[in-house]
Amino acid sequence: MGTFLDSLSFPARVRKDLGEVFLKKDKEPVFIQCKACNRRALKQDWQKNYYVCPVCGHYRAIGAYYRLSLILDKGTFKELNEGMEPKDPMKFPEYRDKLKVQSEKTGLPEAAVTATGKIGGHRVVTIVLDSRFFMGSMSSTVGEKVTRAVEYAMEKKLPLIIFSASGGARMQEGIFSLMQMAKTAAAIEEFNAAGGLYISFLTHPTTGGVTASFASLGDITLAEPGALIGFAGPRVIEQTIHKKLPKGFQRSEYLEAHGFVDRIVPRSEMRDTLIQLIELHA
């Protein structure tokens, strides 16, 4: 399939992630409306606040390359397995057409970006699931990219950082998607047995098979504020058990209070927190 991103530098990919509205030098003020509080704020204020609403604190979804630009040392980004493209193992009707639409919308060939780089001078392997591409769902290609990146981190003895954001399995790939849960979990287990450091960073939303596999297996589990984290969504659970769930159930704050998440880390503190954890391990 390929995308025009193949020929772009990392800074250009970051700018693409931010959207054309963020690239232009506007003569008139540009406002962005928050989907949570419906209030508007200046584009510059959103940028300074790492695309967290300056009014209510709601976290706006961000692209994989922009997220990597927030944590990696300048000039150290190197993408892994960049040429891997989605498969259509079940010949699902209209799936290839939908993949093309997702790729044109995001500039990505798949929902996962895997890379090496340095954070505070420490070389790491990073994996980012991009919720803009089929809600970051785990296809067979996403599972393969994650597995290869984990194996690379194990071979090179590098810390592994995975930013999860997913709606679960890629329904158009059926059992081939579900098999990725076992494959990625097995890769993480081998990495763990080899003594590697794995930091799992959960963002909004992290659900389905991703939560039930590699996202929940970190040595240290971090989460962004307000992130929805769980296997099934709260509506499905309530319809199943016929009971009202506790307030804030499955949000990162609730999970931190109940020991599932080690620490909630605001986007502005993401890089410094990772540096601290990597240095402690080193």
Side-chain angles (χ1 to χ4, degrees):
M1 186 185 303
T3 72
F4 75 95
L5 279 186
D6 295 343
S7 61
L8 294 183
S9 65
F10 180 59
R13 297 181 190 202
V14 173
R15 292 195 296 272
K16 167 61 182 172
D17 269 1
L18 298 179
E20 295 301 320
V21 68
F22 303 114
L23 302 183
K24 297 184 295 184
K25 293 182 178 180
D26 306 287
K27 295 181 180 179
E28 298 295 330
V30 175
F31 291 87
I32 301 174
Q33 186 171 3
C34 176
K35 293 182 179 179
C37 67
N38 293 320
R39 299 287 296 276
R40 297 197 309 159
L42 283 168
K43 175 188 70 175
Q44 292 91 333
D45 293 336
W46 279 90
Q47 290 175 324
K48 291 176 183 177
N49 213 33
Y50 303 99
Y51 298 95
V52 178
C53 177
V55 179
C56 72
H58 175 74
Y59 273 56
R60 185 186 180 99
I62 58 175
Y65 292 111
Y66 174 62
R67 185 178 291 280
L68 288 170
S69 75
L70 296 178
I71 64 167
L72 295 180
D73 298 350
K74 188 175 180 180
T76 65
F77 168 86
K78 182 179 180 182
E79 190 154 355
L80 298 173
N81 303 303
E82 185 175 5
M84 293 182 65
E85 298 183 352
K87 310 295 182 184
D88 185 12
M90 298 181 65
K91 303 295 186 281
F92 197 89
E94 301 179 2
Y95 182 38
R96 288 193 176 277
D97 292 335
K98 291 180 179 179
L99 284 170
K100 184 178 179 181
V101 170
Q102 294 294 309
S103 184
E104 290 175 349
K105 181 182 73 173
T106 63
L108 300 170
E110 251 298 359
V113 173
T114 58
T116 62
K118 291 183 179 180
I119 300 179
H122 301 278
R123 192 163 175 239
V124 300
V125 172
T126 59
I127 302 170
V128 184
L129 297 188
D130 196 318
S131 63
R132 302 172 305 156
F133 193 108
F134 269 136
M135 274 306 299
S137 54
M138 184 159 61
S139 66
S140 53
T141 298
V142 168
E144 182 65 17
K145 290 189 76 170
V146 169
T147 300
R148 290 189 187 189
V150 173
E151 291 172 345
Y152 184 87
M154 182 168 60
E155 177 188 349
K156 302 298 183 180
K157 295 181 171 55
L158 299 175
L160 173 69
I161 304 168
I162 303 181
F163 292 89
S164 295
S166 179
R170 185 78 57 82
M171 59 170 287
Q172 293 89 344
E173 297 189 21
I175 190 64
F176 294 94
S177 174
L178 294 174
M179 288 166 59
Q180 307 311 310
M181 296 170 60
K183 183 167 75 174
T184 55
I188 292 294
E189 175 57 27
E190 289 185 11
F191 179 76
N192 179 62
L197 170 65
Y198 167 31
I199 301 173
S200 179
F201 208 124
L202 310 178
T203 71
H204 178 73
T206 300
T207 60
V210 168
T211 306
S213 56
F214 62 85
S216 299
L217 298 175
D219 298 305
I220 300 169
T221 302
L222 309 176
E224 285 190 334
L228 176 67
I229 302 164
F231 183 67
R235 186 186 307 172
V236 173
I237 296 174
E238 288 183 340
Q239 290 174 347
T240 302
I241 66 175
H242 305 292
K243 291 182 180 180
K244 192 71 176 174
L245 295 171
K247 185 177 180 181
F249 181 73
Q250 291 185 310
R251 295 290 172 174
S252 51
E253 291 79 6
Y254 184 93
L255 296 175
E256 182 191 36
H258 289 78
F260 186 83
V261 168
D262 294 312
R263 182 177 171 186
I264 294 174
V265 181
R267 199 170 281 170
S268 59
E269 300 175 11
M270 185 167 54
R271 174 177 159 85
D272 289 343
T273 299
L274 291 173
I275 291 174
Q276 182 183 36
L277 292 173
I278 293 168
E279 288 182 346
L280 284 171
H281 180 264

